[in-house]
Amino acid sequence: MLVITCPYCQEAREEEEFSYAGEAYIARPAVPEEADDATWGDYVFHRKNPRGWHWEQWQHVAGCRKVFAVKRHTVTYEIAGSWTLADGKALYLKEQA
Amino acid sequence: MPKQGFQPFMESPLHHFKLDAEAQPRRADGRIWCNELPHLGYAVLRGDTAEAGFAQLVEQVTGLALPLKAGAVSQGPQGVLMWTSPDEWLLVSHRQRLADWTAQLDAGFAAQQLFAQTVDSSGGLTLAWLGGTQHITVLRHLGVYDFESIPLGHMVSTVLGKATVQVIRLDGDGVFVLFRRSFADYVWRLLRRAAQPYGFAVCQLEARSDHPLFAQLAAPQPLLVSA
Ligand SMILES: [Zn+2]
C-alpha cells in the first residue's frame, strides 16, 4: 500500500483514495499537422516503462479530485515526492536536461 | 389536465428504513447514536479565489467566509461552507434558503462577469449524524483515515468501505457523514453494522437554532416540490 501526499490536501493519504493516471509529462507533437504516423504512434501508445524513477500522474479521486505529479521508484516503490503538475514539470524538465 | 395530476414530492434516500418510527431521545450511554438529516440543500460552488470579487460575493450572499485552507469549514447559523478542493466548495443549508442563495450567487457572478458557478446537488446527497463516545472507533472500522486527527471545524473527504464520503467534525460530540444518494442505503447499513458491537440506536435530532447544521432542520420541510 502506497502512502501518497496530495499537494492540494497537503496531507499523506492511503493509496485507496487515489487513482493512477499514467505517465506524466508526455509531450504532444509540437506541430501536429507535420507529425508522421510513427510520431503519433509513439505519442499515443509508447510509454517509458522504466526500471527506476518514474514520473507519473495520480488523481485524488476520493478527496479533492485533482490530478498531480508523483516521482516513484518502480522497483522499490519509494516515493521521492509529489507536486502539482506545474511545479513538478519544472523539476522534471531540469532532470531531463 | 386532471386536478390529481403529477404531484412530485421529496423522499429521503433512507425513507424505507422508517427512521422516524425508530428514533428515541438520546441518552448518555455507551451506544452509538445516529440519524439522518433529510432534505437539506447542497450546492457545489466553483470559482477562482484569485479573481477579485469572488470571495467577497460569496460571503456577502451567504454570510459565510470562503474557507481557503484545505478541509476547513466555515460555520454560521444559516449553514456551512466547506473546502472540498482548491477551486471547489460545498454549501449546505436549508433547502429553500439554498435555492435563494444559488440564484443570488449566479446573478452576482453574471453581473460581475466572474468565472464561477453554482451547481445544486440537493437531490443527490444526504447527511447523517453519528455520535456517542465510540463514534470515531466506528469510523476506524470502515476507513483508513485517522479520523480522530480531524481538527474541530474541519472535514475530510475519504472512503468508507469503498464509498466516497465526507466526514465533517464540528465538535467532539459526533461527526456528520455526507454521502451520495445512490450510496445512501449501502453507507447507512455499513455504519449500522459497524456500530452493532457497541450498541446502535437511532436518535431524535433536535432542530437546535444555535447549530450550523441542526438548525437547518428547523423550518418545515418543503416536502412537496413546487413546479
Ligand atoms: Zn487531495
Side-chain angles (χ1 to χ4, degrees):
Chain A
M1 191 92 156
L2 300 173
V3 175
I4 300 171
T5 300
C6 170
Y8 295 99
C9 295
Q10 290 161 10
E11 243 182 2
R13 303 283 191 98
E14 296 275 348
E15 184 182 348
E16 194 184 348
E17 292 187 13
F18 299 89
S19 155
Y20 185 64
E23 188 180 316
Y25 308 124
I26 299 167
R28 186 179 164 84
V31 191
E33 297 82 7
E34 289 169 21
D36 57 17
D37 285 356
T39 310
W40 277 119
D42 282 355
Y43 170 68
V44 177
F45 299 111
H46 288 180
R47 298 294 175 257
K48 290 198 181 96
N49 192 22
R51 184 172 167 163
W53 290 107
H54 187 224
W55 284 84
E56 54 199 18
Q57 306 178 110
W58 285 82
Q59 187 184 7
H60 196 187
V61 283
C64 61
R65 302 191 306 292
K66 293 283 177 197
V67 176
F68 57 93
V70 174
K71 185 183 171 186
R72 183 178 64 93
H73 200 283
T74 57
V75 179
T76 63
Y77 280 30
E78 185 188 343
I79 290 175
S82 52
W83 302 267
T84 64
L85 284 175
D87 290 350
K89 187 155 190 183
L91 289 171
Y92 170 81
L93 291 175
K94 214 156 97 187
E95 266 182 24
Q96 301 294 304
Chain B
M1 230 175 99
K3 264 190 175 171
Q4 299 300 314
F6 178 53
Q7 293 211 325
F9 60 93
M10 296 205 298
E11 206 167 51
S12 146
L14 302 177
H15 71 96
H16 56 292
F17 290 115
K18 301 193 169 44
L19 299 176
D20 276 350
E22 201 183 331
Q24 47 181 306
R26 185 181 168 193
R27 288 201 297 275
D29 54 18
R31 282 187 290 176
I32 300 295
W33 292 85
C34 194
N35 203 346
E36 187 201 13
L37 288 78
H39 308 306
L40 299 189
Y42 306 88
V44 175
L45 202 62
R46 292 206 180 91
D48 185 352
T49 52
E51 226 179 353
F54 172 67
Q56 289 87 326
L57 182 72
V58 172
E59 186 160 359
Q60 191 194 318
V61 170
T62 64
L64 298 163
L66 198 69
L68 302 179
K69 212 178 133 269
V73 179
S74 256
Q75 310 171 48
Q78 301 198 311
V80 299
L81 180 59
M82 310 191 287
W83 182 103
T84 50
S85 184
D87 50 9
E88 228 176 79
W89 293 265
L90 188 75
L91 201 48
V92 186
S93 186
H94 184 268
R95 199 135 166 161
Q96 189 52 54
R97 187 184 301 118
L98 189 102
D100 297 342
W101 279 353
T102 50
Q104 285 180 51
L105 285 168
D106 283 336
F109 294 153
Q112 297 189 38
Q113 299 199 319
L114 290 168
F115 191 62
Q117 67 169 167
T118 61
V119 181
D120 194 317
S121 319
S122 301
L125 296 166
T126 195
L127 193 67
W129 182 78
L130 183 76
T133 49
Q134 298 292 324
H135 69 276
I136 293 287
T137 315
V138 170
L139 294 177
R140 280 203 196 112
H141 283 299
L142 301 171
V144 289
Y145 194 82
D146 294 327
F147 295 99
E148 71 277 14
S149 72
I150 307 174
L152 302 185
H154 280 70
M155 72 98 213
V156 69
S157 185
T158 184
V159 279
L160 293 185
K162 298 282 179 193
T164 300
V165 299
Q166 280 78 40
V167 177
I168 307 158
R169 199 177 191 207
L170 301 183
D171 51 45
D173 189 36
V175 291
F176 292 90
V177 185
L178 177 76
F179 41 94
R180 287 180 208 286
R181 183 180 192 98
S182 50
F183 278 81
D185 184 274
Y186 171 70
V187 173
W188 179 260
R189 285 174 198 268
L190 205 61
L191 291 172
R192 190 165 194 147
R193 176 64 190 88
Q196 216 173 25
Y198 309 96
F200 179 92
V202 177
C203 62
Q204 287 165 357
L205 295 180
E206 266 178 82
R208 283 166 43 193
S209 60
D210 60 334
H211 192 280
L213 285 167
F214 290 131
Q216 312 317 320
L217 293 166
Q221 302 294 336
L223 283 171
L224 210 64
V225 179
S226 55

